[in-house]
Structures are given as C-alpha cells and as structure tokens.
Amino acid sequence: MKISILLFCFLVLAGCKKDPEFTDGMLGGETIFDPPVYDPAKYLVSFAKPNPTPLEATAPVVIAVHGYSASTFEWDEFRNDASGQLYISQVLMGGHGIGYQDFKKSTWQDWKQPVLDEYERLEEAGYKNIILAGSSAGSAIILNMLASGFFDEHIKLRNVFSDRYHRRSC
C-alpha cells in the first residue's frame, strides 16, 4: 500500500512541468476584452466618484478582487445585488483581462498593484469605510496586504470578506 502511494506521488510530481503550457484557447481566445480596461469609471469608485460628498465618503466601499485567471465578472452579481446600498470597486488584477502574453508574464506583485492603487485613490479622495472582498487568489492578495503591513501607513481597514479566509473584523 505504501509503495503504491509513493509511486503515485512520484508519478504526479515527475509529470508536473515547472512552466506549464498555456494556449490562447485556455484563456478564452487571443484577445480578451475586459470592460474595466476600457471603462474604469464603470467599475472603480475612485474614477466614478473621485470627489465624494461628506455623506458619500462615509458610505461603505467594497474593493472586490477576483481570482486567478478570472476577471471582474466574478463580482457582477454582487454588484447588482448591492446596488444602492454600498459602493463596489471591481478591481481588475494586473496582468489579467488584456491578453494571454500579459497574463503569462505577470507576477503576483503585478496582480496586487491595482488593488493597492484603488485603495490609495479611495483614501486620497476621502473615503473612510473601505472593505476588501476577495475570491480565490484575490483573497491571497488581501492576506498579503494584511501581512505586509500595508495598513500601518493607511486608514484602518474596516472588514475583510473572503471565500478562502472567513469574515474578520479588523
């Protein structure tokens, strides 16, 4: 039994490539059309409402971060359901949503940068009630922000919601 398990593990590990092959078809085609690339004001609160009123500045703003190789579409239903109750910034992670080559050469630091940028733009505009919500790899990005001390230099994060890391009030 132990030999079978070891053999199975060896075959799985030996068969895994360090640089797997990706094709355009795996990512939906050669050109990926992600609307936030072309119309950020429709997806990012910092572009849609760069000068909030004092009342708008206290409303909850959720920065929604999608998963690996996905797109902002993961948060469309949430945005539609929450409409009018809070603001939703659907951040497109770096390297995602434009094309296969951009995705392939991007790193997790590239993925994180648009999340950091949106947080900082919201903070600079005067928003006070910022919440992060992550799906899959988006959750890992958020956890990295927490672990790296990002919020030591910024306004305190109000809440985190994640499909990988259950709700936690900060």
Side-chain angles (χ1 to χ4, degrees):
M1 183 69 167
K2 287 183 182 181
I3 293 175
S4 298
I5 293 172
L6 288 173
L7 181 61
F8 175 76
C9 290
F10 172 77
L11 291 174
V12 168
L13 293 174
C16 294
K17 295 181 181 179
K18 292 184 182 199
D19 189 17
E21 295 285 327
F22 287 102
T23 66
D24 293 334
M26 291 175 173
L27 298 172
E30 187 174 320
T31 302
I32 301 169
F33 178 82
D34 199 305
V37 172
Y38 306 100
D39 191 6
K42 187 174 178 185
Y43 293 86
L44 299 173
V45 174
S46 66
F47 284 92
K49 293 188 172 289
N51 300 304
T53 66
L55 183 60
E56 290 171 335
T58 62
V61 179
V62 176
I63 298 176
V65 189
H66 63 81
Y68 172 77
S69 79
S71 178
T72 57
F73 75 86
E74 286 188 333
W75 292 99
D76 284 347
E77 187 175 351
F78 175 63
R79 180 188 189 110
N80 293 337
D81 290 347
S83 181
Q85 299 172 37
L86 43 87
Y87 297 119
I88 310 291
S89 271
Q90 290 172 264
V91 175
L92 181 64
M93 289 197 301
H96 290 69
I98 298 172
Y100 167 66
Q101 290 305 319
D102 289 324
F103 177 74
K104 185 176 179 183
K105 70 181 179 183
S106 67
T107 66
W108 69 268
Q109 291 95 338
D110 298 324
W111 304 348
K112 180 172 77 167
Q113 194 59 52
V115 181
L116 301 175
D117 293 344
E118 178 64 358
Y119 196 95
E120 290 173 344
R121 283 191 304 264
L122 291 168
E123 181 179 45
E124 188 175 308
Y127 289 95
K128 307 272 187 252
N129 190 0
I130 304 172
I131 300 164
L132 293 174
S135 172
S136 190
S139 298
I141 295 298
I142 293 168
L143 288 173
N144 178 266
M145 290 172 67
L146 288 164
S148 72
F150 174 81
F151 299 103
D152 296 344
E153 304 286 322
H154 298 276
I155 64 170
K156 188 176 178 185
L157 181 65
R158 301 291 274 206
N159 285 292
V160 173
F161 296 91
S162 170
D163 65 346
R164 301 285 184 241
Y165 179 75
H166 301 286
R167 183 178 183 269
R168 173 180 178 229
S169 293
C170 296

